[in-house]
């Protein structure tokens, strides 16, 4: 019970912090779109809009990667549909804020958007998790891949959220500070989960489900919990994405996105929280950093280099960059 | 009724292309337990090799069966070479690594081929020239039989027959089936595992290359990202039939091709892509081994 209270406290802390940060950084920053298309605001003196958006993307990818780590790395459930949960979060939060709270203050929008996104994704995660529990290994991966794509195609066919055109004019209220705070909190929450009773149970299931069962762990229960927590966080990432870009389309949430998140996990080291963060960092920054190369050569070889890097890391360091290790500030001791 | 027959004909043509790609998936899964995500992109490479072969090697060829066969053989050889390179440099070093690593490598190879393809072939779609004398045969009762569809169907059928001979009647096929039962035991009884896996990749990639050309014949607009969706669907077809099972892959592909054309014809074409995934989920939840797969459910 104490742990739940602490987790709850962290969330409260986040909302308070986000509000404070918003005041500190100045209300001028509420409209990110203006920052991009109109003359630069005060904030751009610190960070250019390009770096600003890359950093937000990086943080969102960290949330995704870390939440997938809970499923893939810790519980050993190989899923390939994370983009689907992100899509649910993005579309749900965007619709709730656009249709229900278009003129509400920032705090209301933030709470309504993030919570509805997380809960919607969590509920779908619960449904998918319970229906897929019979499956293991690659088969689970295939089914979740299928679910992810179906979610995407369903959104593609709903006209109210833009259909194939994508959803535009979503209120942009997320800023770098809020996303950063939430990322830190999610990392802390996942660290606490993985070092606590639930995390140990997940690890036990990954190592040997039968033995875990004999030890008094209910594998079904734990697996569903992992699914719900992970999809909840992916939903929140989707919500942040929608409200920092201001535009979402189903093209963002294809299975390629799911693969990208898996790749982040594996490149960093499957089962390592630090690895998940590191992988997200590398795979987000690398394609952007390679834009310079494109300027020199005149050819768009950055994605080719990106793909080659992925293959080479897998061949030269199969356990991932971090292996099973954690950074000091994230280790359990 | 006539409409139904027309859809059936279209579905069979589409299904036979899926079948050629699905065979490669299922064979590689059989020997390596690997979902070779790059397979769909080898299919794309085959399509482009066919295109460039017509454009530069035989620029003045008249559309005929002979030309088509030449193009298909060129594409098969080219794709086989690509397959061998991928196997040697990307998958072989990982033979002992965990399966997820090989999977990520496969995704990496897939990305590499897609973006490399955009670099080499250009990102904009290109027109695939006629390599077959096209005739529309009016069978009567509003049913139109496209001679291209017929050729696609016949050529896929011939290639599948060759494959089934290879797999079920030759020494190589016997080794391949042994490996798909148990790689370690096959190694112990003296089968050269690496060689067989290499040949499997050659055959699978060659079939994908042929399918690429046939796809170009049926849908004459090709671009470097063309392998993504057909590749994924062929993979679903392989799962539907029971992955690792060669007959199953063909049956699964035909079912998928037919049901896609029916859905596109009678319901809505936007739901066509979702259908494949719905089928995938239902099959895996109800009968995880696929239609013809073994009853062994992958459990704890």
């Amino acid at each position: 019970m104490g742990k739940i209270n602490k987790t709850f406290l962290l969330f409260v802390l986040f909302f308070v912090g986000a509000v404070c940060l918003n005041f500190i950084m100045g209300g001028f920053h509420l409209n990110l779109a203006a920052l991009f298309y109109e003359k630069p605001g005060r904030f751009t003196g610190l960070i250019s809009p390009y770096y600003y958006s890359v950093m937000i993307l990086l943080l969102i990818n960290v949330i995704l990667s870390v939440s997938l780590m809970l499923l893939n790395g810790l519980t050993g459930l190989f899923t390939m549909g994370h983009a689907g949960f992100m899509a649910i979060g993005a579309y749900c939060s965007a619709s709730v804020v656009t249709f229900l709270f278009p003129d509400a203050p920032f705090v209301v929008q933030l709470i309504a958007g993030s919570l509805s996104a997380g809960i919607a994704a969590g509920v779908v995660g619960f449904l998918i998790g319970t229906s897929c529990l019979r499956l293991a290994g690659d088969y689970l991966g295939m089914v979740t891949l299928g679910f992810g794509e179906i979610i995407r195609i369903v959104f593609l066919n709903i006209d109210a959220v833009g259909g194939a055109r994508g959803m535009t004019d979503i209120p942009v209220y997320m800023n770098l500070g809020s996303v950063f705070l939430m990322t830190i909190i999610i990392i802390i929450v996942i660290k606490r989960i993985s070092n606590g009773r639930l995390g140990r149970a997940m690890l036990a299931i990954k190592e040997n489900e039968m033995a875990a069962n004999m030890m008094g762990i209910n594998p079904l229960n734990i697996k569903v919990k992992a699914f719900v927590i992970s999809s909840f966080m992916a939903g929140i990432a989707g919500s942040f994405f929608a409200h920092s870009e201001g535009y979402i389309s189903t093209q963002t949430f294809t299975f390629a996105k799911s693969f990208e998140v898996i790749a982040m996990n594996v490149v960093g080291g499957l089962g390592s929280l630090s690895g998940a963060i590191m992988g997200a960092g590398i795979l987000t920054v690398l394609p952007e950093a390679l834009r310079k190369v494109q300027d020199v050569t005149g050819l768009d070889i950055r994605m080719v280099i990106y793909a080659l890097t992925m293959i080479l890391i897998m061949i030269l360091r199969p356990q991932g960059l971090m292996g099973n290790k954690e950074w000091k500030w994230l280790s359990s001791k | 009724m006539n409409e139904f027959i027309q859809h059936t004909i279209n579905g069979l043509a589409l299904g036979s292309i899926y079948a050629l790609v699905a065979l490669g998936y299922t064979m590689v899964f059989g020997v390596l337990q690997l979902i070779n995500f790059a397979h769909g992109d080898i299919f794309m490479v085959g399509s482009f090799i066919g295109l460039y072969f017509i454009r530069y090697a035989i620029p003045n060829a008249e559309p005929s069966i002979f030309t088509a066969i030449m193009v298909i053989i060129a594409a098969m050889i080219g794709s086989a070479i690509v397959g061998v390179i991928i196997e040697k440099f990307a998958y072989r070093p990982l033979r002992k690594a965990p399966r997820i690593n090989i999977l990520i490598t496969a995704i990496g190879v897939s990305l590499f081929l897609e973006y490399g393809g955009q670099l080499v072939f250009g990102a904009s779609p290109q027109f695939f020239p006629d390599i077959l004398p096209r005739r529309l045969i009016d069978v009567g009762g509003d049913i139109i039989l496209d001679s291209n569809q017929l050729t696609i169907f016949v050529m896929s059928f011939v290639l599948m027959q060759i494959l089934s001979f290879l797999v079920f009647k030759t020494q190589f096929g016997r080794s391949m089936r042994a490996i798909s039962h148990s790689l370690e035991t096959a190694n112990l009884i003296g089968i050269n595992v690496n060689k067989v896996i290499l040949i499997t990749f050659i055959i699978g990639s060659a079939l994908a290359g042929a399918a690429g050309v046939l796809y170009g014949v049926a849908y004459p607009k090709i671009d470097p990202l063309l392998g993504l969706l057909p590749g994924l669907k062929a993979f679903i077809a392989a799962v539907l039939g029971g992955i690792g099972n060669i007959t199953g892959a063909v049956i699964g592909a035909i079912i998928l091709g037919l049901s896609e054309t029916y859905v596109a014809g009678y319901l809505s074409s936007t739901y066509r892509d979702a259908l494949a995934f719905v089928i995938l989920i239902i099959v895996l939840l109800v009968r995880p081994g696929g239609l013809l797969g073994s009853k062994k459910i992958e459990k704890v």
Side-chain angles (χ1 to χ4, degrees):
Chain A
M1 201 59 212
K3 183 149 292 167
I4 294 172
N5 278 337
K6 273 180 198 160
T7 312
F8 179 71
L9 208 72
L10 282 171
F11 273 94
V12 173
L13 206 72
F14 159 69
F15 288 120
V16 175
V19 174
C20 291
L21 216 78
N22 230 47
F23 278 115
I24 296 166
M25 285 184 166
F28 64 89
H29 192 249
L30 281 175
N31 191 350
L32 193 64
L35 198 75
F36 279 112
Y37 302 119
E38 291 171 18
K39 56 189 170 195
R42 280 182 4 233
F43 197 73
T44 47
L46 290 172
I47 309 170
S48 83
Y50 168 66
Y51 286 110
Y52 189 88
S53 65
V54 171
M55 276 159 81
I56 286 194
L57 187 69
L58 167 67
L59 291 173
I60 289 172
N61 280 342
V62 167
I63 300 181
L64 283 172
S65 166
V66 160
S67 66
L68 186 70
M69 193 284 287
L70 204 66
L71 269 181
N72 259 358
L74 212 57
T75 325
L77 295 170
F78 182 55
T79 63
M80 302 203 276
H82 225 51
F85 297 127
M86 191 190 173
I88 291 178
Y91 273 97
C92 183
S93 158
S95 331
V96 165
V97 174
T98 316
F99 299 132
L100 299 180
F101 304 101
D103 304 314
F106 162 74
V107 192
V108 178
Q109 287 185 334
L110 177 66
I111 294 176
S114 316
L115 274 187
S116 61
I119 291 172
V123 168
V124 176
F126 175 77
L127 295 177
I128 294 178
T130 40
S131 58
C132 296
L133 280 180
R134 278 177 60 198
L135 302 163
D138 290 353
Y139 288 96
L140 181 69
M142 294 170 204
V143 170
T144 43
L145 173 77
F147 272 120
E149 280 296 290
I150 288 174
I151 291 169
R152 184 178 75 83
I153 292 168
V154 166
F155 282 123
L156 188 66
N157 283 293
I158 299 177
D159 244 358
V161 293
R165 292 186 309 278
M167 195 167 178
T168 50
D169 298 331
I170 303 167
V172 176
Y173 58 71
M174 290 311 291
N175 58 29
L176 190 56
S178 320
V179 183
F180 182 73
L181 259 178
M182 193 59 174
T183 311
I184 295 295
I185 287 173
I186 284 187
I187 290 173
I188 293 173
V189 168
I190 292 198
K191 185 200 152 203
R192 293 188 63 87
I193 290 176
S194 62
N195 290 335
R197 196 183 167 81
L198 187 57
R200 298 280 171 225
M202 289 171 174
L203 206 59
I205 289 174
K206 177 191 172 191
E207 298 297 342
N208 189 330
E209 189 168 333
M210 193 103 53
N213 206 347
M214 301 309 276
M215 305 274 285
I217 296 166
N218 182 353
L220 301 188
N221 188 350
I222 302 288
K223 279 181 179 176
V224 172
K225 269 185 191 157
F227 248 104
V228 172
I229 297 172
S230 176
S231 49
F232 181 87
M233 286 168 175
I236 289 186
S239 156
F240 288 4
F241 178 78
H243 295 290
S244 55
E245 296 276 315
Y247 167 77
I248 47 175
S249 92
T250 50
Q251 280 306 308
T252 317
F253 308 111
T254 54
F255 56 92
K257 182 74 189 174
S258 308
F259 288 168
E260 201 187 320
V261 184
I262 298 173
M264 288 168 190
N265 265 269
V266 178
V267 164
L270 205 59
S272 158
L273 185 56
S274 326
I277 300 169
M278 198 174 176
I282 291 172
L283 291 191
T284 317
V285 172
L286 188 67
E288 300 299 334
L290 286 172
R291 277 184 204 278
K292 297 264 182 332
V293 181
Q294 189 185 342
D295 293 341
V296 176
T297 55
L299 289 167
D300 190 9
I301 58 167
R302 65 196 182 91
M303 289 312 285
V304 177
I305 296 179
Y306 172 85
L308 275 180
T309 315
M310 224 159 105
I311 300 171
L312 283 180
I313 289 179
M314 282 302 94
I315 293 175
L316 300 177
R317 203 172 156 76
Q319 72 274 40
L321 292 172
M322 291 298 290
N324 267 330
K325 295 187 191 69
E326 298 282 359
W327 290 323
K328 216 166 197 174
W329 60 279
L330 277 174
S331 66
S332 52
K333 301 255 156 45
Chain B
M1 190 61 206
N2 286 341
E3 201 185 344
F4 180 76
I5 295 173
Q6 185 71 59
H7 285 318
T8 310
I9 294 170
N10 296 345
L12 282 176
L14 183 65
S16 53
I17 294 178
Y18 283 158
L20 287 180
V21 186
L23 284 170
Y25 267 112
T26 218
M27 278 164 50
V28 169
F29 190 90
V31 293
L32 276 186
Q33 311 286 306
L34 158 73
I35 306 171
N36 183 10
F37 275 109
H39 197 67
D41 299 293
I42 293 178
F43 162 81
M44 174 275 292
V45 170
S47 196
F48 271 96
I49 291 174
L51 173 71
Y52 282 85
F53 183 74
I54 314 162
R55 204 178 276 172
Y56 298 112
I58 44 168
N60 300 320
E62 290 289 311
S64 71
I65 290 285
F66 182 64
T67 318
I69 290 175
M70 270 205 327
V71 172
I72 287 181
I73 288 175
M76 285 173 85
I77 293 172
S79 316
I81 293 171
V82 175
V84 168
I85 293 172
I86 291 172
E87 205 280 321
K88 278 219 155 156
F89 291 101
Y91 297 151
R92 185 166 297 180
L94 287 165
R95 200 59 41 91
K96 297 235 155 49
R99 264 158 72 186
I100 183 158
N101 285 50
I102 315 179
L103 196 71
I104 297 290
T105 313
I107 294 169
V109 172
S110 158
L111 285 177
F112 178 74
L113 288 179
E114 277 161 26
Y115 292 104
Q118 288 190 347
L119 212 61
V120 177
F121 309 130
S124 49
Q126 300 191 43
F127 181 72
F128 198 91
D130 280 333
I131 54 172
L132 282 166
R134 190 173 179 199
R135 231 173 274 131
L136 295 177
I137 306 156
D138 199 340
V139 190
D142 293 340
I143 302 166
I144 292 167
L145 193 62
D146 188 337
S147 64
N148 278 357
Q149 288 177 335
L150 204 67
T151 324
I152 288 170
F153 194 70
V154 171
M155 282 191 178
S156 318
F157 186 75
V158 170
L159 286 170
M160 283 175 224
Q161 285 306 312
I162 296 174
L163 178 76
S164 86
F165 173 78
L166 274 178
V167 171
F168 293 108
K169 295 276 166 15
T170 61
Q171 187 58 42
F172 155 73
R174 195 192 288 267
S175 329
M176 200 188 103
R177 283 179 288 144
I179 290 179
S180 71
H181 268 279
S182 163
L183 194 136
E184 266 140 41
T185 323
N187 205 354
L188 284 177
I189 57 172
I191 293 173
N192 187 343
V193 172
N194 274 339
K195 192 177 136 202
V196 175
I197 290 175
L198 196 65
I199 297 176
T200 310
F201 265 88
I202 290 176
I203 296 175
S205 309
L207 287 177
V213 172
L214 294 179
Y215 188 86
V217 170
Y219 308 94
K221 205 182 85 177
I222 59 174
D223 66 85
L225 296 182
L226 124 129
L228 258 172
L229 217 50
L232 208 56
K233 283 176 187 164
F235 161 66
I236 291 172
V239 175
L240 172 61
I243 193 145
N245 184 314
I246 284 172
T247 329
V250 177
I251 294 176
I254 299 285
I255 293 177
L256 193 66
L258 283 175
S259 44
E260 274 201 351
T261 18
Y262 291 146
V263 167
Y266 291 111
L267 293 170
S268 151
S269 60
T270 43
Y271 281 108
R272 196 178 68 182
D273 295 338
L275 174 83
F277 296 103
V278 173
I279 292 180
L280 172 79
I281 289 170
I282 294 174
V283 167
L284 283 182
L285 290 182
V286 177
R287 204 182 149 84
L291 294 178
L292 297 188
S294 54
K295 292 243 170 63
K296 190 187 76 184
I297 299 169
E298 195 171 339
K299 262 183 141 181
V300 195

